[in-house]
Amino acid sequence: MLRGGWLDRNLRYVFPLPALVFVFVMMVFPIAYTLRLSTTEWSMSSMAPPSWVGAANYASLILSDDRFSGAVWRTFYFTILAVILETLLGVSIALALNREGRGRNLVKTVFLLPMVATPVAVGMVWLLIYEPTIGVANYFLSLLGLPPLHWLASPRQALPSLVLVDVWQWTPMITLIVLAALTALPRDPFEAALVDGATPWQTVRHVTLPLLRPAIVAAMTLRAIDALKTFDIIYTMTQGGPGFSSETLNIYSFVLGFQYFQMGKASALLMIFFAIVLGSAIVLSWARRPVEA
């Protein structure tokens, strides 16, 4: 009787308790532990305990590590180029598919295939496609009369080649989001445009795209946050090479932690990376407000 009475009085605390414990164990504790580790110098290859160094790891990365600054630039280059291309292609394909016709559902199903493939499998397939001697990429270039490329073997071409793989895999996501938004658009503006004699292009430019803007911005936000954290495709195909030409922040933190065993410096890099991703998410969410208003 007493136990039942205590539960009745504290239901508002008891019900959310499992969720709070989950958030603390799975999110708050790893971040707090990484933050603490980032203020120490600790090598996994030695038996010495971590020693306190304060903000030295952060200062070393920001002020004197050229490899870190290069990784920051490549992370944003990869993200911005991939998201712009995926948005342009995704919206164009969605507008093309938003018509009644035979085979429309089959095309949608085929579009899902790149998204459900595992990143390692995608990386292995594209390694064969980019192979300079037997890959089909250079074969298609030869059909167009263009010279062969070195793709992943060239420091200048490696990162754009990885962007192309990301575009191939994640453009369908933009397409599906925009297609779902197209089905929910009101019909009145389109009927008014038809009555006013608007051409198909004028209807798309002045009616469809403005109405789709909230969905497009939401899709770009999701893709940008995900592209910033891309690791598996890059590590599978280049491991950050040749040299450091495709090394992003995620790849560099992995190298610091599990190849150089500098866990303190790797933790500092991860905290900086966490701040970059969180800041980007806040900025993109803030940018969505005028669109959704």
Side-chain angles (χ1 to χ4, degrees):
M1 182 67 183
L2 290 176
R3 183 177 301 175
W6 182 87
L7 283 176
D8 290 340
R9 291 193 303 273
N10 297 279
L11 281 179
R12 63 180 182 278
Y13 302 116
V14 173
F15 281 171
L17 186 60
L20 292 176
V21 171
F22 177 83
V23 169
F24 179 81
V25 173
M26 301 301 294
M27 298 180 66
V28 177
F29 175 74
I31 294 174
Y33 183 76
T34 305
L35 179 62
R36 175 182 173 277
L37 202 59
S38 69
T39 59
T40 65
E41 183 177 0
W42 180 43
S43 173
M44 289 179 63
S45 59
S46 70
M47 299 300 293
S51 58
W52 170 264
V53 295
N57 288 325
Y58 293 93
S60 173
L61 285 169
I62 296 173
L63 301 178
S64 60
D65 193 337
D66 294 336
R67 195 168 167 180
F68 169 77
S69 57
V72 172
W73 183 88
R74 284 186 290 272
T75 300
F76 280 101
Y77 172 86
F78 177 90
T79 301
I80 293 172
L81 184 58
V83 171
I84 289 176
L85 292 176
E86 289 164 12
T87 303
L88 292 175
L89 287 173
V91 173
S92 301
I93 295 172
L95 292 174
L97 290 177
N98 189 39
R99 301 173 182 175
E100 296 298 332
R102 297 177 61 182
R104 181 186 175 199
N105 291 330
L106 176 62
V107 173
K108 289 181 181 178
T109 304
V110 172
F111 259 70
L112 289 174
L113 294 180
M115 294 173 55
V116 301
T118 60
V120 174
V122 171
M124 298 304 293
V125 170
W126 277 89
L127 275 176
L128 292 175
I129 293 174
Y130 281 148
E131 213 286 329
T133 55
I134 62 172
V136 297
N138 277 342
Y139 172 73
F140 285 121
L141 289 180
S142 68
L143 293 179
L144 298 173
L146 299 173
L149 299 178
H150 294 293
W151 302 105
L152 301 175
S154 166
R156 295 183 59 185
Q157 298 166 12
L159 201 54
S161 301
L162 292 169
V163 170
L164 183 60
V165 178
D166 193 81
V167 169
W168 175 82
Q169 187 175 20
W170 292 112
T171 294
M173 173 184 164
I174 304 280
T175 300
L176 293 178
I177 292 175
V178 176
L179 265 177
L182 280 168
T183 60
L185 293 183
R187 303 308 306 170
D188 294 346
F190 295 94
E191 293 173 357
L194 184 64
V195 171
D196 292 340
T199 65
W201 167 244
Q202 289 173 329
T203 303
V204 169
R205 181 181 176 186
H206 298 291
V207 179
T208 307
L209 290 179
L211 292 174
L212 284 177
R213 193 176 303 164
I216 294 173
V217 173
M220 291 180 67
T221 302
L222 292 174
R223 275 305 304 143
I225 294 172
D226 195 45
L228 279 171
K229 301 181 296 180
T230 301
F231 173 82
D232 33 30
I233 288 290
I234 298 175
Y235 192 77
T236 302
M237 298 184 68
T238 66
Q239 298 186 358
F244 306 132
S245 60
S246 62
E247 188 176 71
T248 59
L249 286 174
N250 250 344
I251 301 295
Y252 188 34
S253 64
F254 179 84
V255 171
L256 281 176
F258 298 103
Q259 293 185 8
Y260 299 163
F261 301 117
Q262 299 178 7
M263 299 305 294
K265 193 171 182 179
S267 299
L269 192 153
L270 286 175
M271 291 308 302
I272 296 173
F273 190 33
F274 174 72
I276 290 174
V277 174
L278 183 62
S280 301
I282 292 173
V283 169
L284 290 170
S285 299
W286 175 79
R288 287 175 54 190
R289 290 184 177 179
V291 176
E292 295 177 343

